[in-house]
Amino acid sequence: MGSWDPEKGSKGKKKKTDSSYECEKPWIPWLLPTIVLANIIIFVLMMYTNNCPKNNKGSKGKCVARMDKWGALQWSKVVHGKQGWRFITCLWLHGGLIHLFANVLSFVFIGIRHEQQFGYVRVGVIYLLSGFGGGILSSLFMQHTTTVGASGALFGLIGAMCSEFLTNWTIYTYKALGVLPHIDNFANIGGFFTGFLLGFVLLFRPQSGWIKPQHRPAGAAVIPKHKPYQYVFCVIAVLLLIVGFGMGLLLVFKGANGNKHCSWCHHLTCAPTSKWPCGY
């Protein structure tokens, strides 16, 4: 991401500290570190109660099977068992130490930075709704697998980071910004696009040069707080989120199979090679 110095004007001169940004202080992150700690604790408890890795013998091991009892996402239980709560509980489970380690690193390098900038409320909403959105897409295409992990929610944070850059690009001085077997990329894709849209709704900022009325010097030009395109992005994103979640949930609980309407989509989560089968 680029950087922006609120102390400098367009010609490099220092301005008085009356910009809204200069009144902001970085948030002290506590939500995402707490989520990281909870994920680790739940993982240890799950490994201990399931007697892992002794009982973990490949994809048919008892450790994998018992993740269902901990709230893993399974299409049959969501649709036929009406257990929609699994869209959220699956975010706290991980299929192995490497899976957990990768997600923890993502939390540290992506999530915590977001919380420092925008606070725990907005980041928490993006995290949960992105994970929820990823679970919906996963349920439409991965109906014979068990899905666990916070990857969809983390991809949502990445998507929000991209849309935040697009909607706030005028305040930045420097503008810079795999398909493997047995990885649920549909959860990642769904989470990414959910977070991308939520970023337009929750993360847009006042444009550069805007000054709060109580800090505006007499005779200073009045600059609108936000640009028109920011409102346009926000409205479009809200509409797409409502339609996407509404249609997605309707299709999931009707038992729809997305693969029947997209013959090539299964390749997004596994591309078969001589090294591994996909078992579509």
Side-chain angles (χ1 to χ4, degrees), residues 118 121-123 125-126 129 197-204 234:
F118 298 102
V121 174
R122 286 183 283 184
V123 170
V125 170
I126 292 172
L129 288 183
L197 293 175
L198 285 171
F200 289 120
V201 178
L202 298 176
L203 303 186
F204 67 90
C234 180

Side-chain angles (χ1 to χ4, degrees), residues 11 19 50 55 59 108 111 113 141 156 158 161 173 182 207 216-217 219 223 227 237 242 256 276:
K11 296 183 179 180
S19 170
N50 291 346
N55 286 331
S59 61
V108 171
R113 176 183 173 277
F141 288 92
I158 295 174
M161 181 174 66
T173 302
H182 313 304
Q207 63 172 308
R216 187 182 301 129
I223 298 177
K227 290 183 175 292
I242 293 174
W276 61 69

Side-chain angles (χ1 to χ4, degrees), residues 67-225:
M67 283 195 294
D68 163 63
K69 296 182 179 180
W70 284 75
L73 180 60
Q74 290 186 338
W75 175 83
S76 60
K77 294 187 180 296
V78 170
V79 176
H80 301 301
K82 306 302 179 184
Q83 299 176 5
W85 47 266
R86 290 180 179 271
F87 285 123
I88 300 299
T89 55
C90 70
L91 301 178
W92 306 88
L93 306 177
H94 292 82
L97 189 60
I98 295 178
H99 187 200
L100 175 67
F101 182 70
N103 279 354
V104 167
L105 284 181
S106 299
F107 274 118
V108 171
F109 290 108
I110 298 174
I112 291 180
R113 176 183 173 277
H114 265 53
E115 188 175 352
Q116 286 176 325
Q117 285 189 318
F118 298 102
Y120 65 91
V121 174
R122 286 183 283 184
V123 170
V125 170
I126 292 172
Y127 179 83
L128 289 176
L129 288 183
S130 296
F132 186 41
I136 292 174
L137 192 63
S138 175
S139 295
L140 289 173
F141 288 92
M142 304 292 290
Q143 298 182 349
H144 302 290
T145 61
T146 298
T147 296
V148 295
S151 299
L154 288 168
F155 268 76
L157 293 177
I158 295 174
M161 181 174 66
C162 294
S163 57
E164 186 271 328
F165 174 73
L166 289 175
T167 195
N168 298 321
W169 71 275
T170 58
I171 71 172
Y172 291 113
T173 302
Y174 304 103
K175 299 174 173 64
L177 189 66
V179 180
L180 297 173
H182 313 304
I183 293 178
D184 189 352
N185 283 327
F186 285 104
N188 296 340
I189 293 170
F192 176 86
F193 282 107
T194 300
F196 183 75
L197 293 175
L198 285 171
F200 289 120
V201 178
L202 298 176
L203 303 186
F204 67 90
R205 305 179 182 184
Q207 63 172 308
S208 178
W210 176 76
I211 302 173
K212 291 182 178 180
Q214 61 268 33
H215 300 303
R216 187 182 301 129
V222 177
I223 298 177
K225 185 175 182 179

